[in-house]
Amino acid sequence: MTSLAGLIDRLEDAVAHRTPLEKEHVQAVFFLFPLMFFIVGFILMPVLGTLYDAFMRDVIFLEKEFIFFTNFRYLFSDPGFWNAVRFTLLFVLISVPLELAIGLMIALVMNETIPMRGLLRACVLIPWAIPAAVSGRVFELIYNYSYGAANWLLRVLHITTEPVNWLGSEIGAFIAVVAADAWKTTPFAAIILLAGLSAISEDLYNQARIDRAGFMTRFFKITLPLLKPVLVVTLLFRTIQALRVFDVIYVLTGGGPGGATEAVSNFAYKYFTAGDFGYGSAASVLLFVIALLLSLFYVKASRFGEA
Amino acid sequence: MRGPDLHTIRRRVSGRLLILLCLPMLFACGRGDAETDLVFAVGGAPSELAAWEKVVRKFEADSGISVRLLRQPANSQQQLQGLMVAMKSKQQNPDVFLMDVAWVGLFSAAGWLVPLDNLDRTPFFGELLNRTDVYDGRLMAAPVYLDGGILYYRTDLLEKAGMTRPPETWRELAESAKKVQEQMRPENPGFFGFVWQGAQYEGLVVNFLEFAGASGGIQLQDETGGVRVALKANLKALRFMRDLIWEYEISPPSTYTEMQEEEVRTFFQSGNAMYERNWPYAWTLHQSDGSPVKGKVGIAPLPAPEGEKGVSTLGGYHIGVSKYSDRKADAKKFAAYVTSKEAQRMVVLELGWNPGRGDLYEDEALLERYPHFGEFKDIFRKARPRPVIPYYIQVSNVLQTYISGALARNRSPESALEHAQIEIDSLEQRYGRNPEGGGGQLSESFPYPSFTHGEAVP
C-alpha cells in the first residue's frame, strides 16, 4: 500500500511541476487512457484474435493447428458462403439507398419550420432506439402466417381470402428483411442528414429565390451539392452497418427459407456455435475485407467528385 | 529549460496509470471461482428447476455434498453456446450438466467429458446407450430424459374420417387428413390435416430423419460411419414432406417458415389440426384443464410408407461430468444419483417427463399416474439417434438449409439432397474424416451416383 501511495504522490508531483504545455500532455494521457484501454481491450484484441484464428484450425474436437490459408480455400469453394456474400451485397445495394432516400425526405420535412417539430423529430427517432432483435420480432408478428397483422389487414379489407405466407418465398423474405431494416435504420440516416441540412446557410436559398429558382432547382443546385459530404459519411456508416447485418435476420427469418436470407454474419455465427471458430473467423475476416474495400471505394469516389 | 523528455514522462505516467487501473482487476481475478458447492447446470423451464431443487436437497441430505443449480437458457442453441464457452475457457463450473443427446458426440470428441465408470449400465435401454453415450468403449454420459417423435391424433375426428384406429401408413394419414380437412374447412377456414416441425432449425432435421427412416433410409450414416444423404429413400421422404404442403395441401404453407415444437403444439391444441408430430411433452399440455382438445387426443407411433415401419428420432437430455471440474469424484457421485431410480422417479412425478432409465417404464406407481408410459416405452427403445459424430451440428446446418429450400420449392428435392451431399463431403474432408479423399481438393463431380444418372446406393 505504501508503494501505491508513493506512486500517487510522485504522480501528483509530476503533474504539478510541469510547464502548462507539458501539464496538458500529461492530462491528455490521463483522459485518453480509458478510451485507449477500451479500444485495445474490446476492439483491437478481439479483432487481432479473430485474424489469428482465421489462420488456425480452431475446432473444438480437433488439435489446434496453424493451417495457413486452408480455411479461406474451403470458404472460396463453399456454396453456402458465396450464397451469404451474394445476399449480403444485394441487401446492402437495396436497403442502403432506400434508407438514404427516405431518410433524406424525412430530413427535408423536419428541417422546415412546421408545427410540433420537436415532437416530430423525437417520434422519428423511436425506431432507431428500439433494439434490432425487438423490431425483428415485431416484424415477425406482422408477417406471421396464422395471426400476423398483414394477413389480418388483407382479410379485413377483403383483398384476399387465403392468407399470404410472406416469408415463404425467397423474394418475399428478402423484401421483409429489407423493410424491417429500413424501418429501423432510416431515422439514423434522417438525423445525420438533418444535421447536414441545418448547416446549409438560409441565405443561399434566399438568394436563389430572388433568382426565381424553383424548389427542384434549389434542391439539386444547392441542397444536394452542399449535403454531399454528409451524404457520403451517412452512406459509409450505413453500408458498414448493413454489411454486418445479423440480428434482424436471426430473429425474423433465421436465414430461411433455404438459406435465402442468410447474411455473412449469420453464416459465421453458425460455425461459431457449432464449435468451428477458425472457419467462422475466416468468414468474418473476409467480411471485414469487403467492408474495407467498399469504404475505400466510397472515400475515393467522393474525393474524385470534389476535384 | 526543458525537464525530462516529454515522451518519457508520458510513458512513465501512462505506465503507472495502467498499473493503478489494473490492480483492482487482479484482485477480482484472484478471488472468484472459489466455489465450494458442486454446480449443476440444468434446463431453463421453471417447472424443471423446481423439480431439480427437490432432487438436489435429497442428495445433499444423503451425501453431505452441497449442490448449486445453474439455470441454462430455455433455447437449446443458447444452452449449447453457454456450455461451449465454459468448456472452451476451461472453467471449473459447471461441474456437471445436462446436454442435448445431439451434442454427446461433440462433447466426447472434444474431450470435455469424464467417463462415468461408476454407473451401472443395466437399467438403461442397452442399444440406445451404446449408440449415443458410449465413446471409445467408455460411458461418457447417461440419459436423464428420453424423447421420441410420436403422432398425436384427434379421436373425435378419426370417427369423422370413418377410421377405427390411427393411421399406420402415409397414404392413410394423407387421405384421412384430406377428408377431414374438407369437412372442417367451411366452419374453420384455418384447419389443416397434419402439422409437424418444418422451420429451418434442428427440429426440421429431426422430422426429416423420421420420414427418411420410415422410407428405409439409413439415418444418415453408412456402414463406415460416413454421412450419406443423397439416397433414394431420403428422396422419397423429402418428396413426401414437400407434397404434404403443396400437393395434398394438408400441412399449412407456414410449415417451413414458422413451425417449431411450440407453434405445432398450439396449432393442434387450439383445435386447428387433426394430426400432429411432436415430442411426448405435448401430451400433458393437450390434456390439461382449459385445453380445447382435452379428452379428444390419442397417441400412436409415426406412420410409414406401405410395408415399412415408422421411425422416431431420439431426443432428450443426458448428464455429463466436466473434465475441467475441480470436484470430479463428487460430480460422478451426483451423476449416479441423478440417474438412480429414486431421483428419476422424483423428477418424473414432478415434471411428467420421460425418464432415461428403462426400468421405470414398468414401474407400477408411475404407470398408474402416467398410463401412456407403457406406449412410450416401445417407441423410445426403438428410437434412432442422430449420427453421433463430432461435426453433427455442421451436418445438421447444411441439411436444414437444403431441406428448407426444397420445402419452399426454391430447388427440387433431388438437387437439394445432391448439393447437401457435396457440402457434407467437404465438411468431412475439412474435419479430417477423409483426409486423403481428394488431398484437400474439392471434387467437382458428385461423389455419389446422381439420381438422374443411375441408381443411388441403397
Side-chain angles (χ1 to χ4, degrees):
Chain A
M1 273 298 130
T2 47
S3 68
L4 191 67
L7 191 77
I8 293 168
D9 274 353
R10 280 172 60 192
L11 200 74
E12 281 172 353
D13 212 39
V15 176
H17 294 90
R18 298 300 150 214
T19 64
L21 180 70
E22 284 169 354
K23 225 162 145 182
E24 207 175 288
H25 275 285
V26 174
Q27 278 176 346
V29 171
F30 186 80
F31 286 122
L32 276 177
F33 185 78
L35 178 71
M36 293 312 288
F37 180 77
F38 188 81
I39 289 179
V40 171
F42 293 98
I43 299 177
L44 199 63
M45 301 262 284
V47 165
L48 291 180
T50 307
L51 194 65
Y52 168 78
D53 239 20
F55 293 95
M56 302 292 289
R57 186 176 69 194
D58 187 1
V59 184
I60 53 179
F61 51 88
L62 295 174
E63 282 298 317
K64 199 162 173 169
E65 196 188 329
F66 185 72
I67 51 168
F68 296 96
F69 289 94
T70 309
N71 282 329
F72 293 98
R73 216 183 54 214
Y74 273 106
L75 265 182
F76 284 130
S77 58
D78 186 338
F81 176 69
W82 286 116
N83 176 54
V85 169
R86 194 184 55 108
F87 167 79
T88 309
L89 291 180
L90 208 63
F91 175 78
V92 171
L93 202 72
I94 306 283
S95 71
V96 173
L98 186 76
E99 286 155 19
L100 245 61
I102 303 175
L104 184 57
M105 284 185 222
I106 294 175
L108 284 171
V109 172
M110 288 196 300
N111 198 34
E112 297 300 314
T113 29
I114 48 171
M116 304 216 282
R117 190 164 72 161
L119 186 73
L120 183 75
R121 286 184 180 182
C123 283
V124 164
L125 263 181
I126 288 174
W128 179 246
I130 292 176
V134 176
S135 63
R137 180 85 182 121
V138 168
F139 273 85
E140 195 209 326
L141 291 175
I142 293 175
Y143 297 127
N144 188 288
Y145 178 80
S146 320
Y147 48 84
N151 278 337
W152 174 80
L153 209 63
L154 287 184
R155 209 168 49 241
V156 168
L157 300 176
H158 296 288
I159 297 173
T160 55
T161 47
E162 284 280 298
V164 176
N165 192 14
W166 300 95
L167 303 175
S169 62
E170 283 191 31
I171 182 83
F174 184 85
I175 293 172
V177 169
V178 168
D181 189 68
W183 180 80
K184 181 182 157 50
T185 51
T186 300
F188 172 79
I191 288 298
I192 296 193
L193 292 176
L194 179 63
L197 281 179
S198 49
I200 300 174
S201 165
E202 194 59 31
D203 295 346
L204 287 172
Y205 292 110
N206 290 336
Q207 283 169 19
R209 279 199 196 92
I210 292 168
D211 291 338
R212 299 204 173 171
F215 173 78
M216 280 303 180
T217 320
R218 273 180 280 144
F219 177 74
F220 282 106
K221 298 282 181 193
I222 301 174
T223 312
L224 216 49
L226 286 175
L227 201 59
K228 212 188 90 182
V230 181
L231 264 173
V232 171
V233 171
T234 318
L235 193 69
L236 195 67
F237 271 167
R238 276 305 305 140
T239 303
I240 293 172
Q241 281 176 345
L243 274 172
R244 26 156 257 218
V245 62
F246 172 81
D247 28 21
V248 176
I249 292 170
Y250 182 76
V251 176
L252 188 58
T253 65
T261 55
E262 187 172 87
V264 178
S265 301
N266 300 82
F267 176 88
Y269 173 77
K270 218 165 69 175
Y271 278 93
F272 287 135
T273 51
D276 190 342
F277 297 92
Y279 203 61
S281 299
S284 309
V285 168
L286 284 181
L287 181 65
F288 170 76
V289 171
I290 294 172
L292 191 70
L293 289 178
L294 268 178
S295 308
L296 285 177
F297 169 76
Y298 281 156
V299 172
K300 280 262 183 269
S302 62
R303 279 216 194 107
F304 184 74
E306 274 167 20
Chain B
M1 289 186 290
R2 277 185 59 172
D5 177 6
L6 254 179
H7 273 286
T8 4
I9 297 177
R10 236 180 286 166
R11 219 178 308 131
R12 230 188 276 155
V13 172
S14 59
R16 280 166 198 170
L17 278 172
L18 189 76
I19 297 167
L20 218 71
L21 271 167
C22 288
L23 275 175
M25 290 180 207
L26 285 175
F27 286 126
C29 294
R31 261 182 280 127
D33 270 0
E35 172 110 28
T36 49
D37 292 350
L38 199 64
V39 178
F40 176 38
V42 294
S47 53
E48 196 179 349
L49 214 61
W52 283 115
E53 199 71 43
K54 278 194 172 176
V55 174
V56 160
R57 295 294 90 89
K58 183 78 175 52
F59 175 72
E60 284 176 338
D62 291 352
S63 65
I65 301 168
S66 55
V67 179
R68 186 167 65 88
L69 286 174
L70 185 69
R71 185 181 187 164
Q72 292 183 315
N75 175 305
S76 86
Q77 199 184 14
Q78 286 164 12
Q79 280 175 17
L80 174 63
Q81 237 174 296
L83 287 176
M84 216 186 260
V85 169
M87 296 294 139
K88 190 120 169 67
S89 50
K90 303 182 167 56
Q91 283 175 31
Q92 294 165 357
N93 293 320
D95 299 287
V96 51
F97 48 83
L98 293 186
M99 61 195 145
D100 191 303
V101 59
W103 316 329
V104 176
L106 172 69
F107 278 49
S108 302
W112 291 342
L113 299 176
V114 175
L116 303 175
D117 301 325
N118 57 329
L119 253 64
D120 176 18
R121 298 187 190 188
T122 42
F124 300 99
F125 294 126
E127 199 188 337
L128 190 153
L129 209 63
N130 280 333
R131 287 173 79 167
T132 56
D133 297 312
V134 176
Y135 187 82
D136 270 350
R138 305 185 79 176
L139 191 69
M140 307 307 281
V144 173
Y145 317 127
L146 286 187
D147 252 343
I150 47 180
L151 184 76
Y152 292 85
Y153 60 91
R154 286 274 299 275
T155 44
D156 54 333
L157 296 182
L158 213 57
E159 282 169 32
K160 260 195 174 161
M163 286 166 74
T164 50
R165 52 161 183 77
E168 282 166 8
T169 65
W170 285 357
R171 183 192 293 260
E172 280 173 8
L173 174 94
E175 282 174 0
S176 57
K178 185 91 190 159
K179 203 164 152 189
V180 169
Q181 184 175 301
E182 272 160 16
Q183 290 175 41
M184 297 294 284
R185 277 288 168 85
E187 49 179 290
N188 183 358
F191 188 91
F192 279 93
F194 180 34
V195 283
W196 43 282
Q197 291 80 32
Q200 192 178 329
Y201 80 119
E202 177 64 22
L204 173 62
V205 178
V206 167
N207 277 247
F208 169 72
L209 288 179
E210 286 169 351
F211 286 112
S215 359
I218 53 163
Q219 296 302 85
L220 293 184
Q221 275 179 297
D222 64 16
E223 57 286 336
T224 68
V227 176
R228 304 277 296 274
V229 183
L231 301 171
K232 278 262 159 96
N234 292 350
L235 181 63
K236 188 173 170 184
L238 188 51
R239 278 193 182 137
F240 182 67
M241 290 164 82
R242 197 189 50 164
D243 288 349
L244 284 171
I245 304 170
W246 302 107
E247 176 73 24
Y248 315 130
E249 296 179 331
I250 54 172
S251 296
S254 57
T255 298
Y256 63 92
T257 48
E258 308 172 349
M259 287 298 184
Q260 301 194 6
E261 282 90 356
E262 273 299 272
E263 283 77 6
V264 166
R265 180 185 71 78
T266 48
F267 200 98
F268 182 85
Q269 195 160 323
S270 12
N272 290 330
M274 178 180 182
Y275 298 120
E276 172 199 19
R277 181 270 168 213
N278 215 330
W279 303 103
Y281 86 97
W283 175 255
T284 35
L285 294 165
H286 288 332
Q287 297 293 45
S288 64
D289 292 328
S291 156
V293 297
K294 188 182 178 187
K296 295 188 247 176
V297 188
I299 46 176
L302 291 167
E306 227 100 16
E308 302 276 359
K309 274 255 167 242
V311 165
S312 293
T313 303
L314 182 73
Y317 275 75
H318 293 221
I319 193 166
V321 172
S322 164
K323 178 191 169 187
Y324 304 108
S325 160
D326 51 345
R327 311 198 29 203
K328 294 192 187 70
D330 288 347
K332 278 166 78 169
K333 224 181 274 176
F334 181 71
Y337 179 70
V338 163
T339 51
S340 74
K341 209 163 182 172
E342 181 189 56
Q344 286 261 291
R345 193 187 280 131
M346 253 153 91
V347 173
V348 173
L349 285 173
E350 198 72 22
L351 284 174
W353 295 2
N354 318 290
R357 284 172 74 103
D359 54 357
L360 280 180
Y361 291 86
E362 281 151 15
D363 190 276
E364 294 289 329
L366 284 185
L367 278 176
E368 201 173 306
R369 173 107 179 249
Y370 304 107
H372 57 278
F373 272 13
E375 294 177 63
F376 285 166
K377 184 189 170 184
D378 235 26
I379 294 175
F380 294 153
R381 207 182 44 203
K382 290 188 208 140
R384 298 214 199 149
R386 282 157 275 180
V388 184
I389 45 174
Y391 49 94
Y392 169 73
I393 297 169
Q394 281 91 332
V395 168
S396 169
N397 281 336
V398 169
L399 282 176
Q400 286 169 32
T401 304
Y402 284 102
I403 296 170
S404 166
L407 294 184
R409 294 191 298 184
N410 290 346
R411 55 170 75 242
S412 71
E414 289 86 346
S415 139
L417 292 183
E418 280 167 3
H419 281 86
Q421 186 70 63
I422 294 173
E423 283 202 32
I424 288 168
D425 285 346
S426 164
L427 277 178
E428 296 203 318
Q429 219 174 73
R430 198 144 60 78
Y431 295 134
R433 211 194 92 79
N434 235 332
E436 64 283 346
Q441 293 268 300
L442 283 185
S443 138
E444 286 298 320
S445 59
F446 293 143
Y448 300 113
S450 171
F451 296 121
T452 38
H453 313 292
E455 202 69 12
V457 191

